[in-house]
Amino acid sequence: MNPVIAVIGAGFSGSMAALHLLSALPRSWSVLLCEKAGSFGRGLAYGTDAPAHLLNLRAANMSAYPDRPEHFSAWLGRLPDGERSGVVVTPAGTFAPRALYGRYLAELLTEAVVTPGPPRLHLVHDGVTDLVPEAGGYSLRTEGGASYPVAGAVLAMGNLTGPGAPPSRHRLDPWRPEEFGRLHPDRPVLVVGTGLTMVDAVSSLRGRGFPGPVVALSRRGLVPNVHAPTKPWPVPDLTAADLASLTRLTRRIRAEIAAAARAGRDWRDVIDALRPVIGYLWRGLPSTERARFLRHLRPFWDVHRHRAAPPAAAAITAEIG
């Protein structure tokens, strides 16, 4: 068996998989990190250069290493003042531009590549075309014609474009404002959806100097809630019956929020307390209950769980007002 694991895709998930594999695997093993885009570590989420595109989580919650929760905050604090443009300190916490987080991830990969000793992380700047089973593992094939024998592979290719979606001058990438072209200043721009991507889209439009109206459209008209100061809250003690029924689980979480309110606490405390067990809760629900969640509750959960940084939320509130 070839002591090599391939990770296909070098956005956040792929980069984290590669770094944690290096820690978990024996020293004799190595990792191939494959990426066809222009940079490693950034991916779609952290490839933007706009300072107003802030992380949706506090810097204190963005460490690459669960056992070192202050790792990103410490990295951010070591940056020279001239390189901390866009970092915002609020009562709810410190929020950094996503571009800085992309730089953080890229630096972690660079450190892994140049670590003294035999190289264990290899960056492959090429598109992967195939994984062919062979004795002891696979043969990884690339667009450039290279072939790499590997024992296994991690697919971390991100959210792929939907099939059959033709290019259109009416559909623009909110994270690439340079491709917007000339927009008529008196005609509205339509944003389909009112989630966090809408927040970025409006920021991109205003950052490019677009003065016209922006219309954001969604079925429910929900916008992300804003981060606020929080305090630790215990993980709710959920029963097997709670985990088997979406209705019971929803009632149980609402009861926990009501208990927090009686104690003078914020609903965000309870939602944040669920973060470590969200995967467990999801896996515990029967498939029929998961489908009910996706049909009915997901938009409401999203605006409470995936909150906006205070400056970004304030900008949207000003637009609406």
Side-chain angles (χ1 to χ4, degrees):
M1 178 182 295
N2 296 296
V4 180
I5 299 293
V7 178
I8 303 170
F12 173 81
S13 295
S15 298
M16 289 300 96
L19 292 173
H20 288 287
L21 279 170
L22 290 174
S23 298
L25 291 170
R27 295 288 301 175
S28 58
W29 284 66
S30 61
V31 174
L32 288 181
L33 182 57
C34 309
E35 176 58 61
K36 66 178 180 179
S39 61
F40 286 77
R42 296 182 179 274
L44 177 63
Y46 309 116
T48 173
D49 291 325
H53 287 170
L54 298 173
L55 292 171
N56 300 316
L57 288 175
R58 305 171 181 88
N61 296 121
M62 291 297 292
S63 171
Y65 304 104
D67 58 337
R68 288 176 278 170
E70 297 299 320
H71 192 268
F72 176 59
S73 294
W75 179 90
L76 202 60
R78 291 194 298 269
L79 290 178
D81 289 342
E83 298 179 19
R84 302 180 81 251
S85 176
V87 177
V88 182
V89 179
T90 77
T94 298
F95 294 85
R98 295 212 297 274
L100 276 182
Y101 194 72
R103 174 180 163 186
Y104 165 70
L105 296 176
E107 288 189 9
L108 294 182
L109 293 177
T110 300
E111 290 174 5
V113 169
V114 302
T115 297
R120 298 184 64 217
L121 178 62
H122 305 275
L123 305 183
V124 178
H125 193 181
D126 202 350
V128 174
T129 58
D130 206 353
L131 275 171
V132 181
E134 61 179 25
Y138 302 87
S139 174
L140 183 147
R141 313 283 175 81
T142 73
E143 293 176 352
S147 177
Y148 301 90
V150 299
V154 176
L155 304 182
M157 298 175 292
N159 296 319
L160 304 179
T161 303
S168 169
R169 65 189 179 91
H170 301 293
R171 188 180 65 251
L172 301 174
D173 186 340
W175 297 288
R176 298 184 183 276
E178 68 278 3
E179 297 179 2
F180 283 5
R182 297 182 63 185
L183 300 175
H184 195 292
D186 298 325
R187 294 180 180 175
V189 169
L190 174 66
V191 180
V192 180
T194 56
L196 290 168
T197 300
M198 176 274 293
V199 175
D200 285 346
V202 174
S203 173
S204 294
L205 286 165
R206 297 311 186 207
R208 298 280 293 179
F210 176 68
V214 178
V215 178
L217 176 68
S218 75
R219 284 181 292 176
R220 298 175 179 84
L222 300 172
V223 296
N225 282 281
V226 62
H227 277 285
T230 57
K231 297 178 181 179
W233 183 264
V235 177
D237 185 15
L238 302 171
T239 67
D242 294 332
L243 300 177
S245 164
L246 182 63
T247 299
R248 288 182 63 100
L249 181 60
T250 302
R251 288 175 179 167
R252 181 68 184 82
I253 293 173
R254 285 176 172 167
E256 195 76 12
I257 290 173
R262 290 193 296 271
R265 302 288 291 276
D266 191 88
W267 60 264
R268 296 168 179 83
D269 297 349
V270 177
I271 298 299
D272 287 354
L274 294 171
R275 287 185 63 196
V277 297
I278 287 175
Y280 171 72
L281 298 181
W282 180 252
R283 290 190 299 271
L285 286 173
S287 59
T288 54
E289 297 296 270
R290 296 185 199 177
R292 288 183 62 213
F293 172 84
L294 294 174
R295 284 197 308 271
H296 302 297
L297 286 186
R298 179 178 175 179
F300 301 94
W301 168 256
D302 283 349
V303 298
H304 288 83
R305 170 64 181 87
H306 304 292
R307 304 190 286 273
I316 293 301
T317 299
E319 292 278 349
I320 296 173

